[in-house]
Amino acid sequence: MKFCTYSHAAHGEKRPGVLTADGATIVDLGGSFDSTLAIIKGGDEAKVKAKSLQDRAETRIALGEAKLHAPVPVPEQIRDSMLFEKHVQQAMERMTIMRKPVLGPLLVKMGKVKVPPTWYQIPIYYKSNRFSVNGPEGDVIWPRYSQVMDFELEFGFFLGKTGKNIKPSEARNHIFGFTIFNDFSARDAQSIEMQSMLGPCKGKDFDTGNSMGPFLVTLDEIGDPYALRMQARVNGETWCDSNSRTIHHKFEDLLARVSSDETVHPGEFFGSGTVGDGCGLEHGRYLKDGDVVELEVEKIGILRNRVIRQK
């Protein structure tokens, strides 16, 4: 199933919905659930109920007439990670050049910039601002303190069950579903923060900076999460065309790591980190005022946002 949060002129407020099989209509679930988060927390029983409503609910809205919001407007938690090796390598090289314009290119050419050995040992992550979530078609407001704005092509999953010390072999049983994630980044602020061995902070944390959507697709409909085409376009120009099979650390390993002696809860979001070639930093190109960024992940849809610079 493909769940969403939407609004419509008929009732105004944000409501949970599920897309019909033909992808043309949203079935309203607001009469039975307060939110998509409530469906996630309701577990298998809630999914069964939602499935029955998908077939018989009376309130249906044409997808083109609805405004889609982030599937879960306020997640219980956001953890983002760096699971793709190519991105880590290329991002480190570009950051080195950004910080050391004279020496950096030479260090890269000599192969002196390498992924730290510790990255291969464990999947690393940080916690992001769960209150700054944006949705499809929502404008991303460029923070005033930044001159270098970037996008990041990611996807990730919402946890569906409480767990602790989850084994990798059991991890998929805890996944509710997947959505696209655009972790917009103020690269100049991030570059300064990361040199202090703690962060990122304001490089990531600004209103509207965490974009998610358009749908939350259940694990059974996704199938293999490591066989999904991932694309990024800026103003219609393709900047990235990759695949989730290039992932190094699997989601199962990430969840095992995070839940080690720590309880994780339904409604928490776990991001994949950027796929290789999936951000402007890796290309040495960045966003401009008014740019429209489209992230497309197979079986999930297209997450589209425009970047607006404040006057």
Side-chain angles (χ1 to χ4, degrees):
M1 289 184 286
K2 290 186 175 181
F3 291 99
C4 66
T5 295
Y6 79 100
S7 57
H8 186 264
H11 40 67
E13 76 277 8
K14 296 177 183 178
R15 296 170 70 87
V18 62
L19 200 63
T20 53
D22 61 6
T25 306
I26 295 174
V27 177
D28 180 71
L29 302 177
S32 299
F33 300 99
D34 293 334
S35 63
T36 305
L37 183 59
I39 298 171
I40 295 173
K41 290 184 173 183
D44 291 338
E45 183 178 338
K47 283 199 290 186
V48 170
K49 184 175 182 180
K51 178 61 177 176
S52 67
L53 291 171
Q54 184 183 30
D55 298 330
R56 60 182 176 81
E58 294 183 0
T59 303
R60 296 171 179 263
I61 306 294
L63 179 60
E65 297 178 3
K67 176 178 175 57
L68 292 178
H69 304 274
V72 181
V74 184
E76 294 291 83
Q77 179 73 274
I78 297 178
R79 291 180 173 89
D80 199 16
S81 51
M82 293 196 303
L83 305 183
F84 291 92
E85 180 185 24
K86 185 177 182 180
H87 166 72
V88 179
Q89 178 64 47
Q90 294 186 154
M92 288 182 60
E93 292 173 354
R94 286 291 181 177
M95 277 292 188
T96 299
I97 294 172
M98 180 184 293
R99 294 167 183 165
K100 303 176 181 180
V102 177
L103 184 59
L106 179 60
L107 293 173
V108 171
K109 186 176 181 179
M110 295 173 61
K112 298 293 185 180
V113 181
K114 297 182 179 180
V115 177
T118 51
W119 182 85
Y120 295 98
Q121 296 170 12
I122 56 173
I124 60 173
Y125 67 94
Y126 72 96
K127 294 176 182 176
S128 187
N129 186 354
R130 71 190 186 96
F131 297 106
S132 65
V133 174
N134 199 5
E137 307 297 342
D139 287 344
V140 176
I141 307 304
W142 191 314
R144 297 180 190 275
Y145 53 79
S146 174
Q147 301 301 313
V148 185
M149 178 62 76
D150 201 359
F151 68 93
E152 300 200 23
L153 171 54
E154 308 185 23
F155 78 123
F157 67 89
F158 276 90
L159 203 66
K161 295 180 181 179
T162 300
K164 182 178 179 179
N165 295 318
I166 300 169
K167 298 178 182 178
S169 60
E170 300 171 349
R172 289 204 187 188
N173 295 330
H174 290 76
I175 294 176
F176 181 88
F178 294 83
T179 195
I180 303 172
F181 184 38
N182 193 338
D183 176 29
F184 282 92
S185 302
R187 292 296 187 202
D188 44 356
Q190 181 188 10
S191 177
I192 294 171
E193 292 166 348
M194 299 303 286
Q195 294 179 64
S196 300
M197 306 303 289
L198 186 64
C201 308
K202 298 305 292 181
K204 302 286 186 177
D205 289 344
F206 50 90
D207 287 348
T208 70
N210 290 324
S211 192
M212 295 186 185
F215 302 102
L216 173 55
V217 185
T218 52
L219 177 61
D220 59 319
E221 187 159 330
I222 285 289
D224 183 0
Y226 309 121
L228 304 175
R229 188 179 183 186
M230 302 177 67
Q231 302 171 79
R233 295 179 290 272
V234 179
N235 301 326
E237 177 188 354
T238 297
W239 285 29
C240 175
D241 191 346
S242 188
N243 195 288
S244 62
R245 72 169 65 94
T246 60
I247 203 165
H248 181 86
H249 294 290
K250 300 294 180 68
F251 286 124
E252 291 86 345
D253 299 318
L254 173 64
L255 187 51
R257 173 68 178 172
V258 173
S259 68
S260 177
D261 287 324
E262 178 182 355
T263 303
V264 290
H265 304 273
E268 294 192 38
F269 178 77
F270 296 76
S272 66
T274 311
V275 68
D277 296 329
C279 67
L281 172 64
E282 294 175 74
H283 300 277
R285 304 172 64 185
Y286 299 98
L287 298 175
K288 303 183 299 297
D289 182 26
D291 280 352
V292 176
V293 181
E294 293 179 313
L295 304 188
E296 183 171 2
V297 177
E298 188 177 359
K299 297 186 178 182
I300 300 177
I302 298 174
L303 176 62
R304 183 183 296 105
N305 298 99
R306 181 178 58 170
V307 177
I308 300 296
R309 192 153 195 172
Q310 303 178 71
K311 304 300 183 183

